[in-house]
Amino acid sequence: MRTDARRHHDPQVRGFASDNYAGAHPEVLAAIALANGGHQVAYGEDDYTGHLQRVMHSHFGPTAEAFPVFNGTGANVVALQALTDRWGAVICAESAHINVDEGGAPERMGGLKLLTVPTPDGKLTPELIDRQAYGWDDEHRAMPQVVSITQNTELGTVYTPDEIRAICDHAHERGMKVHLDGARIANAAASLDVPMRTFTNTVGVDALSFGGTKNGALFGEAVVVLNPDAVRAMKHLRKLSMQLASKMRFVSVQLEALLAKDLWLRNARHANAMAQRLAEGVRAIDGVEILYPVQANAVFARLPHAVSERLQKRFRFYFWDETAGDVRWMCAFDTREDDVDAFLQALKEEMAR
């Protein structure tokens, strides 16, 4: 078979900007090829999407139902719409991805209101939730109907199962539902060394956005409904939100490749281990401060602005708060020990200049 395509990048170059920069895991690519050929029913009636449901049951219990979508923003928007009324609002951390990094999609496309709460470490608590959990009978205020948490958080911290249980109990007592943005749910499970169900359906989460892309998929996430009584019209919302894939088998087979055995966990453990290696090396460099506990695959640090600018010419990464000099360094499933060591050496050299 002839192809005129050619490689436009150096596959040996890796940075620390985002786990989205990584390619797809070879086992995922092999699964896509396996699903290719012949005809399969479109729009989710295929054999691969059917088998994905059974795989999801093994992780989240027999009532779980997965709705594959194209991307994480789509998963969050669809899930939050399914959990809210037209007049509903969602309580979330001020730093939450749905508030900071989705271009206003939950509000503009989902038609809901975000009620944000500042947090010291990206994590909500029952007490912090109560700063926005009021006014249900006030027609002048958007009605708080959902608490959305991120696991692991945008600051790289991880909720314990007990912390999520406390949030779920608190929200449910007030008539609210709980959504979990699990873009990096695999990294959280690897950090806690527990099954994903331990901090989702077991403790009361109603629906989650399951992340595949950051864990080694080419593309594709899923809304996983854990409490069928908590959501409405998921199929219709997915379609009108432009998240219904016609050739869904190619999304579903990627998630199956990650979840059917332990690829999801291997990838997450490796990314987390590389972040620990990076953090350990950073702690030995004078003048660089690690800002938050390194509990998953992210390292947040503060260092001189000029040093970061010079370092960015050698490795890709992002400022988190450019005014304060805060940066974020991310590790991925394909980050190598040599990549970390080379970055640390470059950091030492730039700090010494």
Side-chain angles (χ1 to χ4, degrees):
M1 181 176 63
R2 176 181 173 181
T3 175
D4 294 324
R6 62 188 180 88
R7 177 168 278 157
H8 297 280
H9 78 292
D10 182 352
Q12 299 305 311
V13 173
R14 293 171 176 81
F16 294 86
S18 173
D19 35 9
N20 283 323
Y21 278 39
H25 193 281
E27 293 180 37
V28 172
L29 291 177
I32 294 173
L34 185 69
N36 198 26
H39 286 201
Q40 280 276 288
V41 183
Y43 302 111
E45 298 300 317
D46 59 275
D47 293 336
Y48 295 90
T49 302
H51 188 262
L52 176 64
Q53 301 303 328
R54 296 190 288 275
V55 172
M56 285 293 184
H57 292 166
S58 70
H59 288 281
F60 300 106
T63 63
E65 185 174 6
F67 294 84
V69 296
F70 289 113
N71 54 44
T73 298
N76 286 334
V77 170
V78 171
L80 293 175
Q81 285 183 95
L83 292 165
T84 54
D85 292 311
R86 195 67 184 90
W87 51 87
V90 176
I91 299 173
C92 64
E94 191 174 69
S95 59
H97 196 85
I98 59 174
N99 181 54
V100 175
D101 288 308
E102 292 187 337
E107 295 181 316
R108 294 177 64 87
M109 304 304 293
L112 50 89
K113 174 67 176 174
L114 297 180
L115 303 173
T116 64
V117 182
T119 68
D121 56 2
K123 295 162 68 172
L124 288 176
T125 64
E127 293 74 22
L128 290 174
I129 289 167
D130 280 346
R131 295 186 183 183
Q132 292 284 13
Y134 63 90
W136 286 277
D137 294 325
D138 183 354
E139 66 267 35
H140 302 287
R141 175 175 167 80
M143 182 185 292
Q145 292 185 320
V146 176
V147 174
S148 180
I149 61 175
T150 311
Q151 177 76 321
N152 44 272
T153 74
E154 287 299 294
L155 302 181
T157 52
V158 174
Y159 288 94
T160 67
D162 286 343
E163 288 172 332
I164 296 180
R165 183 188 298 276
I167 287 170
C168 292
D169 289 347
H170 193 74
H172 292 155
E173 287 170 1
R174 284 153 178 74
M176 298 186 291
K177 302 163 187 172
V178 178
H179 164 257
L180 188 145
D181 180 350
R184 297 185 177 94
I185 189 172
N187 300 93
S191 177
L192 294 167
D193 196 24
V194 298
M196 290 182 286
R197 71 175 70 89
T198 305
F199 56 85
T200 53
N201 52 305
T202 298
V203 296
V205 173
D206 296 296
L208 70 91
S209 300
F210 181 88
T213 308
K214 294 177 173 65
N215 190 227
L218 181 63
F219 65 91
E221 323 282 293
V223 177
V224 184
V225 175
L226 303 175
N227 176 10
D229 296 330
V231 303
R232 297 176 302 173
M234 269 296 306
K235 291 198 300 184
H236 300 282
L237 288 169
R238 178 173 58 177
K239 176 65 175 180
L240 68 85
S241 298
M242 297 172 285
Q243 288 292 320
L244 180 64
S246 57
K247 297 184 180 181
M248 196 182 295
R249 59 170 148 161
F250 296 111
V251 181
S252 298
V253 75
Q254 293 181 69
L255 299 177
E256 178 189 349
L258 290 171
L259 290 169
K261 294 184 179 178
D262 67 345
L263 180 58
W264 68 277
L265 187 56
R266 284 189 278 128
N267 286 350
R269 281 176 173 167
H270 178 80
N272 290 3
M274 292 301 98
Q276 290 295 334
R277 185 183 185 91
L278 176 59
E280 183 179 351
V282 168
R283 292 188 184 100
I285 302 174
D286 290 338
V288 183
E289 175 190 2
I290 293 180
L291 298 174
Y292 306 107
V294 179
Q295 297 177 327
N297 63 322
V299 178
F300 290 80
R302 180 173 295 162
L303 62 158
H305 192 280
V307 172
S308 291
E309 287 189 322
R310 293 197 302 269
L311 192 58
Q312 282 179 323
K313 296 177 182 179
R314 304 171 66 174
F315 290 87
R316 289 294 299 265
F317 63 88
Y318 292 115
F319 278 99
W320 189 256
D321 183 341
E322 193 161 2
T323 302
D326 299 350
V327 298
R328 186 191 72 168
W329 298 320
M330 296 296 304
C331 295
F333 76 88
D334 64 346
T335 302
R336 303 169 301 193
E337 291 184 357
D338 289 348
D339 299 324
V340 174
D341 295 345
F343 180 79
L344 288 169
Q345 182 59 37
L347 176 58
K348 291 176 185 176
E349 291 170 2
E350 297 301 341
M351 286 293 294
R353 284 180 60 180

